[in-house]
Amino acid sequence: EVQLVESGGGLVQPGRSLRLSCTASGFTFGDYAMSWVRQAPGKGLEWVGFIRSKAYGGTTEYAASVKGRFTISRDDSKSIAYLQMNSLKTEDTAVYYCTRDFPTYCGGDCYVDYWGQGTLVTVSS
Amino acid sequence: EIVLTQSPATLSLSPGERATLSCRASQSVSSYLAWYQQKPGQAPRLLIYDASNRATGIPARFSGSGSGTDFTLTISSLEPEDFAVYYCQQRSNWPSFGQGTRLEIK
């Protein structure tokens, strides 16, 4: 069974940093691109960024709203994806979902076939 | 950036009725469009990908159609568990979602 479990969310002041982790199980983690998608309270979905599998170079892409502040990385040996969030703003407040991208050959711009349960990040003073 | 516009914003129907949800792209996305269902307090669930392919385990009452800029999600006969918010998503360019259609019980 595919499982994605996020951790690391919480309350943080504007300008500070936070790192989210996503621990995956039930599939060969290294074969898939992974993404982070967020949802502000009562709002729609926004793709934050993704990291390609090593087969596609392991490179990353980010939404304009977070580029230069957020960094996605992965540790295939531990089946963990990370989202490092720096210089946080109040508008970054959202539930952050770790997702498995689909299909495996998409290489980056993908759909999502599995979602974690989400972790809430609240940016407030 | 490709903008997806969903209509209507809210759809009020009764169980057993047919639901038709629309998603329009600001430029062609070929057939690179998916539909997701989200219930309160839950993560979204993939229903349809590549415009018309049902994801694993999705009931046959869900179907998708369209290509280019105009897409439709159809639920042939609504079950009580189908009342939720539905999002379309394109992967032709930087992935983006529509703003959602809320399907509520009439």
Side-chain angles (χ1 to χ4, degrees):
Chain A
E1 179 191 7
V2 172
Q3 285 196 316
L4 301 170
V5 179
E6 302 97 337
S7 59
L11 175 63
V12 61
Q13 293 179 328
R16 304 299 290 265
S17 298
L18 202 62
R19 188 178 81 159
L20 306 182
S21 300
C22 169
T23 302
S25 60
F27 65 102
T28 304
F29 181 77
D31 287 350
Y32 288 83
M34 300 293 292
S35 290
W36 291 89
V37 176
R38 69 182 179 183
Q39 187 170 35
K43 302 297 184 182
L45 300 163
E46 180 188 17
W47 214 291
V48 172
F50 59 80
I51 184 165
R52 298 178 175 90
S53 66
K54 291 292 192 295
Y56 287 86
T59 52
T60 54
E61 303 287 347
Y62 301 95
S65 57
V66 306
K67 196 169 185 178
R69 300 188 298 124
F70 288 12
T71 302
I72 298 173
S73 59
R74 64 190 299 157
D75 185 338
D76 289 351
S77 68
K78 296 181 179 178
S79 297
I80 300 177
Y82 300 98
L83 177 64
Q84 177 68 42
M85 304 183 290
N86 299 332
S87 304
L88 282 161
K89 306 176 181 181
T90 56
E91 53 263 41
D92 294 321
T93 294
V95 173
Y96 284 74
Y97 294 102
C98 169
T99 70
R100 188 181 86 165
D101 292 356
F102 163 83
T104 54
Y105 58 79
C106 64
D109 294 342
C110 306
Y111 307 121
V112 171
D113 62 351
Y114 285 94
W115 302 68
Q117 83 287 354
T119 187
L120 177 62
V121 173
T122 303
V123 185
S124 174
S125 54
Chain B
E1 179 188 347
I2 296 175
V3 176
L4 298 178
T5 302
Q6 293 186 239
S7 61
T10 303
L11 184 58
S12 299
L13 294 170
S14 300
E17 290 193 292
R18 181 184 186 90
T20 303
L21 287 67
S22 175
C23 177
R24 176 164 289 178
S26 59
Q27 62 189 78
S28 176
V29 298
S30 185
S31 294
Y32 296 130
L33 190 106
W35 291 91
Y36 300 84
Q37 176 194 68
Q38 187 178 33
K39 297 180 180 179
Q42 297 183 16
R45 176 175 70 146
L46 178 66
L47 300 174
I48 301 287
Y49 67 94
D50 288 347
S52 61
N53 296 302
R54 272 191 303 276
T56 302
I58 301 304
R61 63 181 182 273
F62 292 91
S63 63
S65 63
S67 65
T69 60
D70 290 301
F71 299 87
T72 301
L73 173 69
T74 301
I75 310 172
S76 59
S77 179
L78 285 165
E79 297 288 340
E81 62 268 27
D82 297 337
F83 293 91
V85 178
Y86 291 83
Y87 294 95
C88 57
Q89 178 240 322
Q90 61 80 23
R91 73 171 189 93
S92 175
N93 202 323
W94 175 259
S96 59
F97 294 93
Q99 82 282 12
T101 289
R102 180 177 304 277
L103 178 57
E104 63 177 27
I105 300 176
K106 187 173 181 179

